[in-house]
Amino acid sequence: AFPSNTAILYWKDMGGNDDTAQQQQGREQEMLELAERINVACGDLSTSSCVKLCSQHMCCVEEDDEYSCKSDVTKDCPVYAGCVVLIDDE
């Protein structure tokens, strides 16, 4: 027979503990705050701040499928939606 705590250990491995939920909630809050900073920096035309926040994530707002990373969930692209103002519309 299995020890009585086997189910609890398995449940924790599956992400069922409070620490994991709190970490996820903390990450979501960080991403929300980053999105807000981007929207402020890029909305107020503080271009240098906008560029600094967006430079590594321009693939998120790239229209050309060859260079776009919009579908890559690891890039957190919705957070960087405000970076679209840096795209030249010529």
Side-chain angles (χ1 to χ4, degrees), residues 32-48:
L32 184 62
E33 290 172 6
L34 176 57
E36 184 62 27
R37 283 197 313 271
I38 289 168
N39 286 336
V40 168
C42 297
D44 291 343
L45 300 176
S46 302
T47 309
S48 63

Side-chain angles (χ1 to χ4, degrees), residues 29-82:
Q29 183 64 34
E30 275 182 43
M31 294 291 101
L32 184 62
E33 290 172 6
L34 176 57
E36 184 62 27
R37 283 197 313 271
I38 289 168
N39 286 336
V40 168
C42 297
D44 291 343
L45 300 176
S46 302
T47 309
S48 63
S49 297
C50 183
V51 169
K52 184 176 180 180
L53 290 166
C54 296
S55 64
Q56 299 298 311
H57 299 276
M58 289 305 293
C59 64
C60 289
V61 293
E62 177 61 54
E63 294 296 323
D64 187 337
D65 288 340
E66 184 177 348
Y67 303 106
S68 178
C69 63
K70 289 177 191 174
S71 61
D72 184 345
V73 295
T74 66
K75 299 287 187 185
D76 296 314
C77 283
V79 173
Y80 297 93

